[in-house]
Amino acid sequence: MRCTTLLSVMALLAVGSLAFPKQPANPIMAIVTTPLSDCYGISPPPAGLDIYGGCIESYYVRWLEASGIRVVPLIWNASWTERKAVLDSVNGALFPGGGLGGEAFTEYLGNATQIFNYATERNALGDAFFLWGTCQGFQVLSVIALQDASLLKCIYHGTDPSMLPLDFTSYQPASVMFGQRAESPINIVGILQNQNSTLNWHSCGINPSDLNADFNSIFKVISTNVDINGLPFISSYESTTNNFFATQFHPERILYEFSDDIIGHTPDDILVSHYLSMFIAARLKLNNHSYPTATDANNAAVENFPVYNLGWGSELYWISGN
Ligand SMILES: *[C@@H]1O[C@H](CO)[C@@H](O)[C@H](O)[C@H]1NC(C)=O
Ligand SMILES: *[C@@H]1O[C@H](CO)[C@@H](O)[C@H](O)[C@H]1NC(C)=O
Ligand SMILES: *[C@@H]1O[C@H](CO)[C@@H](O)[C@H](O)[C@H]1NC(C)=O
Ligand SMILES: *[C@@H]1O[C@H](CO)[C@@H](O)[C@H](O)[C@H]1NC(C)=O
């Protein structure tokens, strides 16, 4: 037996027998898959694959993994029993960006609401299940909280893409995401305020003047922005009662994507991106969910699914259905 083979047998035995590395010190996060209809808009699927679980853009995976977070897919429309089994095993879930519209958005919203309600119940029980939304994910969390999808308005111009600084609200100093921990030792708040450090890639948004009591009972707005016509939109918020956070901008693409010259890759842009995935890692550690065994965790990992290079830093994982 060659020594490489012997070593891999030993590694397999070790994975099977040790419940290590343990959660939540080594957290695991679920990424909600992008529905197949939207995946086609990114790239036609390779022939011969089971693609019915949808897809995941690699930026999210790489960004989380860069801060020590393991990633598993959560099929957006699997039965609730199947999705709950995943949610009971991971420390949080991420709703990514996307371009869903019409009936497809409504169906996604219905399935997302079940996850939102689950996470809300877990937080009420004190286990701090973590939720994150980026761009469309931010918009999904917003309309669930608003209880009114008509308040998401696709009327913004010059924001797809654009790099913008954030206009912080008076809540910022008290914020968990962009409060004291973002002021030192590295002044992330200063970078965000003074530099074009956040990547916007959207034409829909939530106008701060449309917020209602339902939204305000869950979320506090940390920052806003305006489009080229001066029309304001919310760019970040967090919950004061639940472990929920969201940004309209895309922190995950900064590190990896080179498809457009507008995307910033300065050291300070990268500091902001990395600050946020480190922040997510810290917030995931507040939840004590765990896979039953290390083997279960390894079997669920996104690395078990095929990934295809689309160029310019973009790759797509195709997730098999169920
Ligand atoms: C989920 O949606 C896909 C299409 O994106 C469909 O093929 C599949 O049947 C749906 N799954 C369920 C459980 O409804
Ligand atoms: C989840 O998505 C499916 C489409 O695959 C849809 O038929 C179903 O109604 C959605 N579920 C909810 C709770 O909205
Ligand atoms: C996880 O946290 C909840 C809520 O604090 C607690 O009830 C439960 O016993 C904890 N579970 C484990 C495995 O530590
Ligand atoms: C940010 O970008 C805009 C153009 O989109 C430019 O006018 C402005 O000067 C930039 N601000 C900084 C601080 O670089």
Side-chain angles (χ1 to χ4, degrees):
M1 191 179 265
R2 282 175 35 219
C3 85
T4 48
T5 315
L6 180 60
L7 280 176
S8 44
V9 170
M10 287 167 67
L12 273 178
L13 289 174
V15 164
S17 58
L18 292 178
F20 184 86
K22 283 197 169 63
Q23 295 165 260
N26 302 277
I28 302 185
M29 187 166 199
I31 297 181
V32 178
T33 62
T34 296
L36 195 48
S37 59
D38 212 9
C39 301
Y40 274 95
I42 304 168
S43 167
L49 286 184
D50 173 357
I51 52 176
Y52 294 98
C55 62
I56 294 178
E57 289 181 293
S58 63
Y59 319 119
Y60 297 93
V61 176
R62 310 261 174 276
W63 177 58
L64 296 176
E65 288 182 344
S67 290
I69 301 164
R70 288 172 285 172
V71 172
V72 306
L74 177 59
I75 296 177
W76 73 278
N77 66 339
S79 72
W80 177 245
T81 308
E82 286 165 300
R83 278 182 293 144
K84 183 173 183 299
V86 175
L87 296 171
D88 285 345
S89 304
V90 298
N91 305 105
L94 179 151
F95 292 101
L100 294 167
E103 184 58 26
F105 184 73
T106 306
E107 288 180 351
Y108 186 87
L109 199 57
N111 284 272
T113 301
Q114 293 172 312
I115 297 171
F116 185 91
N117 291 343
Y118 168 94
T120 302
E121 283 163 24
R122 304 307 300 184
N123 276 265
L125 293 173
D127 89 348
F129 191 84
F130 176 79
L131 286 186
W132 177 270
T134 289
C135 199
Q136 179 183 277
F138 167 100
Q139 296 166 1
V140 164
L141 295 177
S142 303
V143 300
I144 293 171
L146 288 159
Q147 299 190 32
D148 185 351
S150 73
L151 296 179
L152 175 64
K153 292 178 182 152
C154 301
I155 51 175
Y156 292 92
H157 294 281
T159 43
D160 57 338
S162 66
M163 294 290 291
L164 298 173
L166 299 183
D167 302 324
F168 285 113
T169 64
S170 59
Y171 170 70
Q172 173 269 323
S175 152
V176 176
M177 179 157 59
F178 292 133
Q180 233 168 21
R181 72 198 297 157
E183 288 169 4
S184 75
I186 300 172
N187 191 1
I188 298 295
V189 169
I191 297 170
L192 286 167
Q193 261 174 334
N194 299 316
Q195 299 183 35
N196 285 324
S197 49
T198 68
L199 174 62
N200 287 266
W201 212 312
H202 58 102
S203 54
C204 308
I206 309 286
N207 192 316
S209 65
D210 283 337
L211 295 185
N212 59 25
D214 292 318
F215 182 95
N216 292 331
S217 69
I218 302 172
F219 290 121
K220 287 269 193 203
V221 173
I222 318 172
S223 66
T224 61
N225 279 93
V226 294
D227 77 352
I228 51 167
N229 298 324
L231 192 63
F233 60 90
I234 298 167
S235 47
S236 66
Y237 56 71
E238 67 188 25
S239 174
T240 50
T241 48
N242 299 331
N243 198 13
F244 300 172
F245 301 82
T247 61
Q248 175 63 72
F249 58 88
H250 284 272
E252 76 291 336
R253 290 180 171 224
I254 290 290
L255 284 157
Y256 304 105
E257 185 172 4
F258 295 86
S259 69
D260 194 303
D261 284 341
I262 287 177
I263 305 169
H265 303 102
T266 69
D268 282 348
D269 298 342
I270 290 171
L271 277 177
V272 169
S273 172
H274 201 195
Y275 167 81
L276 283 171
S277 57
M278 295 283 271
F279 173 74
I280 291 176
R283 300 305 293 185
L284 289 167
K285 290 176 189 177
L286 300 177
N287 169 272
N288 66 5
H289 289 183
S290 180
Y291 275 90
T293 67
T295 305
D296 292 321
N298 277 304
N299 289 345
V302 73
E303 280 77 12
N304 293 301
F305 296 89
V307 60
Y308 286 78
N309 181 25
L310 305 179
W312 308 109
S314 161
E315 298 160 283
L316 207 55
Y317 286 91
W318 287 97
I319 309 302
S320 41
N322 46 351

